[in-house]
Amino acid sequence: MKTRRVPVITLLTDFGTADYFVGAVKGAILSVNPAAVIADITHEIPPQDVETAAFTLLAAYETFPPGTIHFAVVDPGVGSTRRPIIVKAGRSLFVGPDNGLFTYVYDREPAHQTFHITAEKYFRPSPSTTFHGRDIFAPVAAALSKGVKAEAFGPLITDEVRLPTSLTPRIIHIDRFGNCVTNITRALFDNAQHPTLVIKRKVIDTFVDFYSAAPPNTLFAIWGSAGFLEISVNGSSAAKMLGAKRGDAVILKPQKGT
Amino acid sequence: MKTRRVPVITLLTDFGTADYFVGAVKGAILSVNPAAVIADITHEIPPQDVETAAFTLLAAYETFPPGTIHFAVVDPGVGSTRRPIIVKAGRSLFVGPDNGLFTYVYDREPAHQTFHITAEKYFRPSPSTTFHGRDIFAPVAAALSKGVKAEAFGPLITDEVRLPTSLTPRIIHIDRFGNCVTNITRALFDNAQHPTLVIKRKVIDTFVDFYSAAPPNTLFAIWGSAGFLEISVNGSSAAKMLGAKRGDAVILKPQKGT
Amino acid sequence: MKTRRVPVITLLTDFGTADYFVGAVKGAILSVNPAAVIADITHEIPPQDVETAAFTLLAAYETFPPGTIHFAVVDPGVGSTRRPIIVKAGRSLFVGPDNGLFTYVYDREPAHQTFHITAEKYFRPSPSTTFHGRDIFAPVAAALSKGVKAEAFGPLITDEVRLPTSLTPRIIHIDRFGNCVTNITRALFDNAQHPTLVIKRKVIDTFVDFYSAAPPNTLFAIWGSAGFLEISVNGSSAAKMLGAKRGDAVILKPQKGT
């Protein structure tokens, strides 16, 4: 079987799936490169929530094959002076607004390069001021998928916008199952150590390797599939049980040996 | 890189994404043409809301490449005598029920042709009476994508069903961000004029070119990406602030020069 | 036009579409087989609801072309000793956890074969204990799509887990439109018979062939597109009108000739 060489273009937006926005982006991509292979990551980022977009992109992008182009558009500043950019990072390319969306990618890929998209010949004719996803980012992503180099779209920049990061342990995401994803990574621990957590005044000192290993109705910590420590309950929502929301502080007590 | 020649088939329905309906349509298409390229526009049209479907299709279809086949099925009359049709309009093809769904396409493409689908040999065997999306429209769209001409499916008709249209300015759509899309187009104005609007007794006389140019918490008018005048608030929902819903009247006072 | 030979991989999960989960699965598939054609069936199975997943898969899989690989992952036991399996059934392949998800497929395809996936060389490196969808099922599905035989992944088993089935007539699914799908099939009736139903103490003795043939505001029975008897109301939700939910008993009185 011959392997298709066309790169994948992933889509990650806050456009929702009820409007024409996602369809218009797909059409704009396919109009430039009818052979493009489009894979939706999500369009359900909460409106204008750049931080959730940044986390979701981080957790998804590395599973895609080399050469994948990630179209990531959560863009409260659309039409203003915020820059449209391309990021070359590791084996991947990213296209979107320069508003911090790629912060975690920058952290994970320190040798990345960022280009300010200025070459208007790659835009749709008469781009709107309200929908750069369709009129700028989509045709640029499609041009990249046809082999145009990132360098061709504009100058290298080094002052990319980053989200304010904080080393304070906290919840950075709550998923569909109510798992509370923290920003705590394994790098903070010896292999032999399991953390004890305190969140919303509840002590969490159960640590398990898989969900159904936990006793019922018990909050536990687990290394999640995105590489971060998560707080979960088997068969129920930890977020509900804790009354937790994104941003809530987590107190970390590394103490228990395995 | 060789460009794929297979036309895109877009899907626009009120099927939702929680049931088996969309999967069954995709399967029915791929069974006829395994090489078909399927692009979801949306499946979140409110159940049986033909008018929203018509607007969403209008706003999305022109971005797709020539030859694209738009499968659009919001079909309260499924199984009754309402006709299944193919519309050839501009560089696009449309497949769906003859219930007004293509009204805005007819308006934009006056030279369109409409065919009543009667050639049962293109249907799935023993089509159900409740799911023509799967049993009639999907295999017809797939046959079109393999190169069968629209003329082969049945006779030309000229009495297509249209939505009752009204020139009264009003809100025709509210999007995920709470933007209120009106049916007001630029054709109503000189280039030098910016309209003042009154909606729900509120006067809207701020007009901006992009969202973040507007002062905070201020309702403003803006030319939206679908080509219509929209009422918006930067970073918030205009629909909520106005208590507006689809169908609400808009009073138009064209008066302010730029 | 040359027909693409690459099999389709469908996705059916309870992952939702707001998180990174679906994106990660698509990436993991495309990393193994960049030519894979992915078709979403649904990701909106209620969390951990194996029975709804089993019904939805049943209703969708047969429309897909021969050789299609169905990735179906609703997996409360992820990381525990529940077995990952491949099912060869009819012209289709299924990949997922051995927790009853394929019960209805087993019933419809008695000559199926089930393989316990044990060949770790097809897994992603260092698979997580919480996301086998990405780390085990996705690369296995992708390997199948490249032509690896089901037999290569592990031993044949015959003690697959099945959902407790019951011949008691009941509602097994409520769809987006409020139609109540029962587990009653045509096999129970002569061609000449139409059933009368009693549900929630309401007698339903109207039987129609298509939705818009029914009088307004009247509950009626209809043979649905998934092959089961459904209870519906034209233009409204039968589930709401009945206050019905999944699992509710249906009393069946086969009596009315046509």
Side-chain angles (χ1 to χ4, degrees), chain C residues 27-105:
Chain C
I29 289 171
L30 292 166
S31 286
V32 173
N33 185 1
V37 175
I38 298 172
D40 298 297
I41 292 178
T42 182
H43 301 289
E44 303 298 335
I45 300 294
Q48 313 198 338
D49 183 340
V50 176
E51 188 173 4
T52 291
F55 167 76
T56 305
L57 184 62
L58 176 72
Y61 85 92
E62 287 185 309
T63 59
F64 282 88
T68 295
I69 297 148
H70 299 283
F71 169 106
V73 178
V74 173
D75 195 10
V78 61
S80 73
T81 56
R82 72 92 191 85
R83 298 172 295 194
I85 56 175
I86 296 169
V87 180
K88 255 175 85 172
R91 54 184 204 170
S92 309
L93 288 161
F94 299 84
V95 181
D98 178 32
N99 62 10
L101 193 37
F102 305 116
T103 302
Y104 302 145
V105 173

Side-chain angles (χ1 to χ4, degrees), chain C:
Chain C
M1 191 176 300
K2 198 163 138 265
T3 297
R4 190 170 51 202
R5 295 270 172 267
V6 181
V8 177
I9 300 175
T10 76
L11 306 183
L12 184 153
T13 76
D14 65 347
F15 296 168
T17 52
D19 284 295
Y20 68 90
F21 306 133
V22 172
V25 164
K26 291 177 179 172
I29 289 171
L30 292 166
S31 286
V32 173
N33 185 1
V37 175
I38 298 172
D40 298 297
I41 292 178
T42 182
H43 301 289
E44 303 298 335
I45 300 294
Q48 313 198 338
D49 183 340
V50 176
E51 188 173 4
T52 291
F55 167 76
T56 305
L57 184 62
L58 176 72
Y61 85 92
E62 287 185 309
T63 59
F64 282 88
T68 295
I69 297 148
H70 299 283
F71 169 106
V73 178
V74 173
D75 195 10
V78 61
S80 73
T81 56
R82 72 92 191 85
R83 298 172 295 194
I85 56 175
I86 296 169
V87 180
K88 255 175 85 172
R91 54 184 204 170
S92 309
L93 288 161
F94 299 84
V95 181
D98 178 32
N99 62 10
L101 193 37
F102 305 116
T103 302
Y104 302 145
V105 173
Y106 300 149
D107 290 348
R108 191 163 291 182
E109 315 267 11
H112 68 272
Q113 289 183 300
T114 305
F115 300 89
H116 178 190
I117 301 168
T118 56
E120 296 184 8
K121 68 173 170 174
Y122 294 107
F123 300 176
R124 283 172 70 84
S126 313
S128 72
T129 50
T130 58
F131 197 3
H132 286 185
R134 177 190 65 189
D135 297 335
I136 295 180
F137 298 118
V140 165
L144 285 169
S145 78
K146 290 172 77 174
V148 180
K149 297 288 169 210
E151 288 76 0
F153 293 89
L156 199 64
I157 60 173
T158 54
D159 60 339
E160 313 99 338
V161 173
R162 285 171 188 254
L163 295 173
T165 51
S166 153
L167 294 177
T168 315
R170 63 201 163 86
I171 295 174
I172 56 171
H173 184 64
I174 293 171
D175 75 18
R176 166 177 173 90
F177 301 95
N179 299 310
C180 301
V181 183
T182 74
N183 59 344
I184 302 166
T185 63
R186 283 178 203 259
L188 289 172
F189 298 92
D190 289 341
N191 276 332
Q193 281 182 318
H194 276 162
T196 290
L197 305 172
V198 183
I199 174 165
K200 311 282 280 185
R201 297 192 181 170
K202 291 225 173 165
V203 176
I204 297 162
D205 55 8
T206 303
F207 195 100
V208 303
D209 286 328
F210 53 94
Y211 295 128
S212 56
N217 300 314
T218 303
L219 290 160
F220 59 86
I222 185 168
W223 288 113
S225 55
F228 299 103
L229 197 69
E230 301 184 7
I231 302 153
S232 300
V233 180
N234 185 13
S236 177
S237 165
K240 265 196 198 146
M241 192 174 290
L242 283 165
K245 57 184 194 313
R246 199 183 66 187
D248 280 348
V250 176
I251 299 166
L252 188 60
K253 306 185 173 174
Q255 63 188 39
K256 291 175 79 179
T258 323

Side-chain angles (χ1 to χ4, degrees), chain A residues 5-28:
Chain A
R5 295 269 171 269
V6 181
V8 177
I9 299 175
T10 76
L11 306 183
L12 184 153
T13 77
D14 65 347
F15 296 167
T17 52
D19 285 295
Y20 68 90
F21 306 134
V22 172
V25 164
K26 290 177 180 173

